[in-house]
Amino acid sequence: MKFICSTSALNQAIMNVSLAVAPKSSLAALEGILVIAKGQTVRLVGYNLELGITTTLEAQVREEGDVVIPAKLFSDIVRRTDSPEITISCDPRFLVEITGGVSRFTILGMSSLEFPELPSVGDGDGVSLPQNKLRSMIDQTLFAVSTSDAKPVHTGALFLMEDGEVTVVAVDGFRLALRREKAVSNQPMRFIVPGRTLSELLKLLGDSDDQVGMQVSRKHILFTIGDCSVISRLLEGDFLDYNAAIPKESATVVKVSTRALINSIERTSLLISDRLKSPLRVSFGENVIQMSCSTTIGKAYDECPCETTGPAVEMGFNNRYLMDALKNSGSDQVLLQLGGPLSPMKVAPPDGDNFLFLVLPMRLKTE
């Protein structure tokens, strides 16, 4: 195998596929990148048995072939190469020579036969979304994906395609995040994508209107982003009935500036830490939100102006969960919809229904 290509293009390709390379594995090939030179392109593949990323780049292929190159060393060499073009060759003993300008490295690769074959989605059902919309949907729900293995199905986000809409839902037992967008889908679909896959996918998605193709089979999903293909296993199990979890009525509705409320929560939370835990006591009164907390090192109090409709309500919250919902709203103002001191609080946009967050309250001790 031998080819010449742009150093910067190769560096970007390595960065992309490295997101799916296993940092440590009992199978040495999974710690490497599969390089396939064929025709006038070079294909790079990273795979950790759960997530696989493939990308292609143009190259002058002098001799077709394939080899697995240790990912970290490959990345370090190419990133530090001070030449606009780089030459990579491999002999029958899998000795890989990487040349850029006056720099030359010879490292030991592995046979491509040791690299596991990526799964296929075959003729799975498909849907497409603009990159910026998919990025926004993942970004606004990923914070609520569970990091606990107590219920593995909740370590992923539910994707639901029906009635011309795509809905993404994430839950972790303490909060719920829901995001909707219009989309064209051939037929209704429902699948659960692992949170780790979505986290890596975010790094590949841009802010353009270019379409991202999603092809879904029974056990896998394939995302196509430009020259990159991302294949991931899907999670199986019974996801929370999120419609039943969302309160239907709200006695009190509070309209507030998102930034002003975040600032107020941050000030009041200065006395709260992992070592000094305390619920945030929040009182939604007539056109003012009062909040306070008390820990062993002192007390804090702050206020935030708002527009309130309905009776006053006092509730307790985990300050971080409350902050996560507000920071991920992406809206200048939010509506806080309250059904009572022990009912989940809904965080919604002032207009429309493209997102909805639920934050479960904490029981307050009587003072």
Side-chain angles (χ1 to χ4, degrees), residues 1-6 10 35-44 55-67 85-90:
M1 180 190 79
K2 184 175 183 179
F3 64 88
I4 303 167
C5 68
S6 158
L10 180 60
V35 180
I36 305 167
K38 190 174 183 181
Q40 293 306 307
T41 61
V42 171
R43 186 158 68 103
L44 273 60
T55 190
T56 58
L57 65 151
E58 292 182 0
Q60 302 170 42
V61 178
R62 302 289 168 81
E63 188 179 337
E64 294 186 348
D66 47 55
V67 66
E85 285 192 334
I86 195 165
T87 302
I88 297 177
S89 61
C90 176

Side-chain angles (χ1 to χ4, degrees), residues 16 19 51-53 131 134-135 138-139 142 159 193-206 212-214 221-225 228-232:
N16 289 344
L19 298 173
L51 173 69
I53 300 178
Q131 280 199 43
L134 181 59
R135 180 186 177 88
I138 295 172
D139 204 30
L142 191 59
F159 281 67
V193 184
R196 279 179 288 190
T197 295
L198 296 175
S199 181
E200 303 301 355
L201 199 63
L202 266 184
K203 299 169 187 174
L204 297 172
L205 292 169
V212 177
M214 291 184 279
I221 182 167
L222 176 68
F223 296 91
T224 305
I225 310 164
C228 264
S229 296
V230 179
I231 191 160
S232 168

Side-chain angles (χ1 to χ4, degrees), residues 332-347:
D332 291 337
Q333 291 185 314
V334 289
L335 292 184
L336 308 178
Q337 301 171 347
L338 315 166
L342 297 178
S343 178
M345 179 178 74
K346 292 193 284 187
V347 181

Side-chain angles (χ1 to χ4, degrees), residues 22-324:
K24 285 187 179 179
S25 173
S26 55
L27 191 61
L30 294 183
E31 296 178 29
I33 293 172
L34 174 61
V35 180
I36 305 167
K38 190 174 183 181
Q40 293 306 307
T41 61
V42 171
R43 186 158 68 103
L44 273 60
V45 184
Y47 186 39
N48 61 18
L49 299 183
E50 291 188 3
L51 173 69
I53 300 178
T54 302
T55 190
T56 58
L57 65 151
E58 292 182 0
Q60 302 170 42
V61 178
R62 302 289 168 81
E63 188 179 337
E64 294 186 348
D66 47 55
V67 66
V68 178
I69 304 175
K72 187 177 185 312
L73 195 53
F74 191 22
S75 175
D76 288 345
I77 291 170
V78 174
R79 188 172 70 250
R80 287 176 169 80
T81 295
D82 197 23
S83 169
E85 285 192 334
I86 195 165
T87 302
I88 297 177
S89 61
C90 176
D91 68 14
R93 295 172 299 163
F94 305 112
L95 281 175
V96 179
E97 189 173 274
I98 304 173
T99 308
V102 295
S103 302
R104 181 179 288 108
F105 296 86
T106 303
I107 60 176
L108 184 62
M110 286 170 276
S111 167
S112 61
L113 298 176
E114 296 182 36
F115 200 87
E117 187 176 346
L118 265 65
S120 168
V121 296
D123 297 324
D125 298 322
V127 65
S128 63
L129 275 173
Q131 280 199 43
N132 50 10
K133 283 191 178 181
L134 181 59
R135 180 186 177 88
S136 170
M137 294 182 84
I138 295 172
D139 204 30
Q140 286 187 272
T141 51
L142 191 59
F143 74 94
V145 169
S146 176
T147 55
S148 166
D149 289 329
K151 192 157 188 188
V153 71
H154 289 156
T155 61
L158 171 69
F159 281 67
L160 194 65
M161 278 75 162
E162 58 183 4
D163 302 328
E165 282 187 337
V166 176
T167 304
V168 180
V169 185
V171 295
D172 69 356
F174 303 100
R175 56 216 171 146
L176 176 149
L178 180 150
R179 182 77 161 76
R180 290 190 183 94
E181 280 288 354
K182 298 290 183 187
V184 178
S185 176
N186 297 331
Q187 62 182 51
M189 287 188 282
R190 182 188 179 95
F191 53 89
I192 303 162
V193 184
R196 279 179 288 190
T197 295
L198 296 175
S199 181
E200 303 301 355
L201 199 63
L202 266 184
K203 299 169 187 174
L204 297 172
L205 292 169
D207 292 321
S208 71
D209 291 328
D210 296 343
Q211 295 289 313
V212 177
M214 291 184 279
Q215 200 173 351
V216 186
S217 66
R218 193 169 66 87
K219 290 192 173 183
H220 293 91
I221 182 167
L222 176 68
F223 296 91
T224 305
I225 310 164
D227 292 329
C228 264
S229 296
V230 179
I231 191 160
S232 168
R233 69 180 180 90
L234 295 174
L235 296 178
E236 298 180 45
D238 294 325
F239 201 87
L240 175 78
D241 181 358
Y242 67 91
N243 280 319
I246 299 171
K248 300 296 182 284
E249 295 181 1
S250 304
T252 303
V253 178
V254 179
K255 187 176 184 180
V256 64
S257 159
T258 310
R259 175 41 57 190
L261 184 54
I262 288 172
N263 289 342
S264 190
I265 294 169
E266 285 179 337
R267 285 191 293 269
T268 316
S269 301
L270 290 172
L271 301 183
I272 302 172
S273 66
D274 290 338
R275 192 171 58 85
L276 299 167
K277 295 183 186 296
S278 171
L280 201 64
R281 186 180 289 267
V282 185
S283 178
F284 300 93
E286 187 177 347
N287 299 328
V288 66
I289 299 172
Q290 300 171 312
M291 59 192 72
S292 62
C293 77
S294 176
T295 69
T296 54
I297 61 170
K299 295 181 178 181
Y301 173 86
D302 205 89
E303 292 183 354
C304 178
C306 65
E307 297 174 24
T308 307
T309 305
V313 184
E314 185 175 68
M315 304 174 74
F317 290 102
N318 177 304
N319 65 314
R320 185 168 62 85
Y321 293 164
L322 194 54
M323 198 93 71
D324 283 346

